[in-house]
Structure formats: structure tokens, C-alpha cells
């Protein structure tokens, strides 16, 4: 009898999962339905470039259903809740779907309204975010007319999508203002709730050094409590203040709203708890989560969804055939960090191994934790790979789900 797999969300994680499943099962074996509330798939890594005029907004958006292989049903609908006992997804305007296997891939949601004052006076005038397309476009216009002052890049709190993107913004802002000839009139400050520029010591040391080299002030252990748009102040929960003329804020993130309306599905932040190695829900064997929606100690980044997808799809097959699951996902994360001036550095790590210097994917390859033009070209090439390899569910040659140990140099900090 044909099984029904329902994938909630058709962003990076949901699309690649559905396409991998379709490649594994024919339509007689398995029916696959993907659900999303709109038809616009946004290439999120490109949002970083929009404020600096390095990417055209319309070029980042493509049709969600057209990214799915033939034989996958696409349902445009807003989800009201999931009934785990009845194996049913209920829609906001009526109707439902039953499932044999559920994959939650609805990503992370921006919650700017959760921070006092963030969407109040000054929002869209001197307080911005580049974490969605309208915000990135508005910030582009603001930068075009900016002629000097203090620019503050702030992460309200973690977890956030693509944790290195705020750092990349600060690095690119340094390059942008130099190109505009006004860098000497701009103070750049990077404000983070972490105790350093990154979560792990080796990478934190390297990235802090880059900030210092570029004349970007680093303010640490600053958890955003309030934004005073009128007075131009960021205020932390411990009442420290950082003044600004233009603030670029990465808002609080949470899971999709329907998760909170679905008893037993998510945690207090709206993310779905899963086994960190199998991606299976701890209490519901037929429920899995992937990508930003998953409550894992891994970065919320597109590469994570790609590496998870290989293990997840294999495990769905194991579950349907009554076989033991494969507990092989190791938290592998891989990110290019754009640093300006046509350079980038690359980090590669997992649950156990922090970002280290060396080369990727082996002893000969792209340099790790070191600026290079080759890494910049790698970041630019990723967009083509995203649309033509990652989303269709194809393997990237030489890059598997497991983090490669070869090429990494273990160092003392």
C-alpha cells in the first residue's frame, strides 16, 4: 500500500528533502505532498548582498512548486496545527491532510515585535534588518543616502539563521564605506550576545582579529532588551547602551507559529526537538524535522539542511521498512564568510570539532579560517549549486554529510 509523506515547508530543507524522497521512491510506492503558505522561494544567502547593491532582489526569488520534481504534490495553504495523535495536518481555512510520515521543514521565523521598541519609531528609517527581502531592500536605500555616523550591527539573541551573516554584513560595510570614500566618517560596531565574535575559541580569535584589523569595534555579552529608535540607542537587559545613527538588527527568531498550536510537536521556542544524529522526534517515531525548524545544537544554515537531508531521507526509508535508523548525522556545518574586497574565509565544523585552520575538503583544497579570493569565488559559485544541485536533491561531488577530518590542523588557543 502506498505511503503518504507530508513535508511542511518548501524552503531549502523542505525542497531538497521532497526531491530526494522522490528520487528514492516512485509514485506507486510513495505519495509526497509539500505544504507552504506562499509560492515564493527566496535564496536567503543573497539577502546579505542586497543592501550593498551586489544582488538584484528579483533575481533571488523563484517559484516554490517549480523547484519540486514531477510527481510531488504542492499544496498552498497556511497551517493551523498538527494533530500528532491523529497523524493529521489541519489548515487555517479548512481542510486537512493525513500522513504516514511527517517532515517539519518550516524554518525559523523573524520575531522583531518581541523586542521592545524594535518595530517602533525609527523602524525602516534608521533601524533595519536584512534578514528578509523587504528589509534588505529598505536598508539598501538607507545606505545609499548615508553620509556618515555610527553604524551598529546587532544580533538580538541566538539562535538565528546563518549565524555568520551579521559578521559578514559588518565586513562588507567596511568595504562599502571605503568604496564610497566615507569610511573615515563612519564608526562601525558589531554587538553580540556571545562572549566573542563567534561561539568557538579558534574561530572567535580569527574573526575578532579581522574585526580589529578593519577598525570595527566589538561589543560582547550584549543581549538586546530595547531599541530606542528616537534616541538612537540599543539597550541591553543589563542596561548597557550602544548609541547609533543607523542600526542593523538581526531580530529574535522562533519556530513557525503553528508549532506552538500543536501539542507535543515543539519546544518553548517553537523548534522541533529531534535526535541530533537521526533527526527523528523523540516521542513520535513517524515525525522528523530538518533545517532551521529542528531544535539541534547545530547552526541554522543552508549547508546544515543539505548534510542533514542525506541522513534524514535514508532514515525515512529505514522507518518505513522497519529497519533501525542511521545515527550518522554529526552536526556538519560549512560556511563561507564574506570579508569584503573580493575575499572570504571558510569554516567547517560539527558537533565535536570546532572550526579549525587547514584546508577543505582534504589536505589540498580551499583554505580554512583564512581569507582568500578562492573562497570568495566559492561563495559566489554556491548560488548556482543551490538552484541546480542542492535543491534538486543531488549530491555535491566529494562533499558528503560527514565532516571530513583530513586537512584540518588542530591548534591551541
Amino acid at each position: 500500500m502506498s505511503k503518504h509523506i507530508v513535508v511542511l515547508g518548501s524552503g531549502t530543507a523542505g525542497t531538497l528533502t521532497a526531491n530526494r524522497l522522490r528520487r528514492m521512491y516512485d509514485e506507486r510506492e510513495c505519495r509526497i505532498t509539500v505544504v507552504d503558505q506562499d509560492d515564493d522561494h527566496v535564496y536567503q544567502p543573497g539577502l546579505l548582498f542586497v543592501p550593498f547593491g551586489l544582488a538584484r532582489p528579483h533575481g533571488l526569488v523563484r517559484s516554490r512548486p517549480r523547484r519540486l520534481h514531477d510527481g510531488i504534490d504542492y499544496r498552498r495553504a497556511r497551517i493551523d496545527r498538527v494533530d500528532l495523535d491523529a497523524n493529521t495536518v489541519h489548515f487555517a481555512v479548512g481542510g486537512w491532510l493525513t500522513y504516514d510520515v511527517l517532515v517539519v521543514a518550516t524554518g525559523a521565523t523573524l520575531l522583531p515585535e518581541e523586542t521592545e521598541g524594535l518595530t517602533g519609531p525609527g523602524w525602516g528609517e534608521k533601524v533595519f534588518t536584512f534578514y528578509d527581502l523587504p528589509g534588505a531592500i529598505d536598508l539598501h536605500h538607507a545606505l545609499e543616502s548615508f553620509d556618515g555616523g555610527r553604524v551598529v550591527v546587532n544580533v538580538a539573541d541566538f539562535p538565528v539563521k546563518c549565524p555568520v551573516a551579521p559578521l559578514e554584513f559588518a565586513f562588507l560595510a567596511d568595504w562599502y564605506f571605503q568604496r564610497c570614500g566615507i569610511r573615515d566618517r563612519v564608526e562601525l560596531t558589531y554587538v553580540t550576545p556571545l562572549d566573542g565574535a563567534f561561539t568557538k575559541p579558534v574561530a572567535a580569535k580569527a574573526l575578532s582579529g579581522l574585526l580589529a584589523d578593519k577598525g570595527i569595534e566589538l561589543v560582547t555579552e550584549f543581549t538586546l532588551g530595547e531599541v530606542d529608535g528616537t534616541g538612537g540607542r540599543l539597550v541591553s537587559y543589563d542596561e548597557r547602551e550602544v548609541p547609533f545613527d543607523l542600526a542593523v538588527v538581526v531580530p529574535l527568531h522562533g519556530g513557525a507559529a503553528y508549532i506552538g498550536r500543536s501539542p507535543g510537536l515543539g519546544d518553548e521556542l517553537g523548534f522541533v526537538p529531534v535526535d541530533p544524529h537521526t533527526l527523528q522526534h523523540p516521542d513520535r517515531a513517524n515525525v522528523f524535522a530538518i533545517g532551521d525548524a529542528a531544535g539541534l545544537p547545530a547552526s541554522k544554515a543552508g549547508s546544515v539542511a543539505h548534510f542533514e537531508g542525506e541522513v534524514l531521507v535514508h532514515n525515512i526509508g529505514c522507518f518505513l521498512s522497519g529497519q533501525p535508523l542511521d545515527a550518522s548525522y554529526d552536526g556538519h556545518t560549512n560556511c563561507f564568510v564574506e570579508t569584503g574586497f573580493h575575499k572570504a574565509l571558510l569554516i567547517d565544523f560539527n558537533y565535536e570539532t570546532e572550526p579549525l585552520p587547514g584546508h577543505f575538503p582534504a589536505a589540498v583544497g580551499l583554505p580554512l579560517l583564512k581569507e582568500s579570493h578562492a573562497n570568495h569565488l566559492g561563495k559566489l559559485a554556491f548560488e548556482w549549486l543551490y538552484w541546480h544541485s542542492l535543491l534538486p536533491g543531488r549530491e555535491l561531488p566529494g562533499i558528503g554529510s560527514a565532516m571530513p577530518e583530513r586537512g584540518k590542523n588542530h591548534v591551541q588557543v
Side-chain angles (χ1 to χ4, degrees):
M1 184 177 178
S2 174
K3 298 293 185 180
H4 189 198
I5 302 175
V6 173
V7 180
L8 303 182
S10 61
T12 305
T15 301
L16 69 86
T17 297
N19 285 336
R20 281 178 175 265
L21 286 166
R22 184 77 293 156
R23 292 162 69 92
M24 186 166 75
Y25 294 111
D26 66 34
E27 294 179 57
R28 293 169 297 178
E29 296 176 290
C30 185
R31 179 184 166 205
I32 301 169
T33 302
V34 175
V35 180
D36 211 307
Q37 62 185 355
D38 64 59
D39 290 346
D40 290 339
H41 186 116
V42 178
Y43 176 64
Q44 295 189 67
L47 296 175
L48 168 71
F49 297 111
V50 170
F52 304 105
L54 299 173
R56 296 181 178 180
H58 68 270
L60 304 179
V61 183
R62 301 192 184 183
S63 163
R64 292 191 193 275
R66 292 186 64 183
R67 306 277 70 80
L68 298 170
H69 291 331
D70 291 342
I72 297 174
D73 299 325
Y74 180 76
R75 181 76 176 263
R76 179 173 175 174
R78 190 163 59 86
I79 303 163
D80 178 61
R81 69 189 190 283
V82 176
D83 185 335
L84 294 175
D85 293 327
N87 293 333
T88 303
V89 178
H90 293 271
F91 301 128
V93 293
W96 64 88
L97 283 174
T98 59
Y99 59 83
D100 295 292
V101 173
L102 181 70
V103 179
V104 180
T106 37
T109 302
L110 304 184
L111 303 171
E113 67 281 355
E114 294 296 318
T115 299
E116 183 179 350
L118 180 53
T119 57
W123 181 246
E125 297 173 359
K126 58 181 179 178
V127 181
F128 299 88
T129 188
F130 65 95
Y131 263 55
D132 60 23
L133 192 54
I137 293 169
D138 288 346
L139 182 51
H140 170 62
H141 297 315
L143 288 177
E144 283 187 313
S145 61
F146 190 75
D147 61 0
R150 189 169 192 185
V151 177
V152 175
V153 184
N154 169 244
V155 181
D157 204 354
F158 287 94
V160 299
K161 297 184 285 186
C162 194
V164 299
L167 276 167
E168 293 181 284
F169 188 95
F171 293 142
L172 283 174
D174 168 65
W175 163 82
Y176 177 83
F177 291 125
Q178 288 196 49
R179 190 189 70 171
C180 294
I182 62 169
R183 182 64 179 91
D184 60 337
R185 303 205 300 269
V186 177
E187 291 181 69
L188 276 173
T189 304
Y190 183 76
V191 181
T192 174
L194 301 176
D195 61 3
F198 196 67
T199 53
K200 305 295 183 181
V202 175
K205 182 178 180 181
L207 291 165
S208 295
L210 266 179
L211 289 170
D213 290 345
K214 295 174 183 293
I216 302 171
E217 180 188 4
L218 174 63
V219 176
T220 60
E221 297 180 308
F222 187 103
T223 302
L224 184 63
E226 178 188 353
V227 176
D228 175 8
T230 303
R233 299 177 304 137
L234 301 181
V235 184
S236 68
Y237 278 107
D238 60 5
E239 298 184 345
R240 287 184 293 154
E241 296 185 4
V242 175
F244 65 83
D245 296 296
L246 189 150
V248 180
V249 178
V250 180
L252 289 168
H253 285 36
Y258 76 88
I259 293 174
R261 299 190 292 267
S262 306
L265 181 59
D267 60 20
E268 65 278 1
L269 298 176
F271 298 113
V272 178
V274 291
D275 183 283
H277 302 292
T278 67
L279 306 173
Q280 183 184 47
H281 195 284
D283 302 319
R284 302 286 173 163
N286 65 336
V287 175
F288 298 81
I290 183 173
D292 296 351
L296 290 175
S299 294
K300 296 190 182 299
S303 67
V304 171
H306 170 67
F307 297 135
E308 288 172 339
E310 183 178 326
V311 176
L312 174 73
V313 170
H314 177 63
N315 277 337
I316 289 173
C318 291
F319 170 77
L320 289 175
S321 61
Q323 302 298 314
L325 269 57
D326 173 13
S328 67
Y329 179 63
D330 63 359
H332 188 194
T333 306
N334 182 283
C335 296
F336 289 102
V337 183
E338 191 73 12
T339 57
F341 302 95
H342 307 293
K343 292 184 178 180
L345 56 79
L346 177 63
I347 55 176
D348 188 70
F349 57 105
N350 65 10
Y351 291 141
E352 302 298 328
T353 302
E354 65 178 305
L356 295 170
H359 291 85
F360 175 87
V364 176
L366 294 171
L368 291 168
L369 271 183
K370 182 180 180 181
E371 285 187 290
S372 75
H373 184 60
N375 285 333
H376 168 70
L377 294 177
K379 175 126 184 157
L380 297 182
F382 180 73
E383 183 171 359
W384 188 93
L385 290 170
Y386 180 87
W387 294 116
H388 299 283
S389 185
L390 188 147
L391 285 188
R394 300 188 179 99
E395 300 299 331
L396 297 181
I399 303 176
S401 64
M403 186 203 75
E405 289 285 355
R406 292 179 61 199
K408 290 184 169 61
N409 302 327
H410 291 263
V411 298
Q412 299 294 323
V413 179

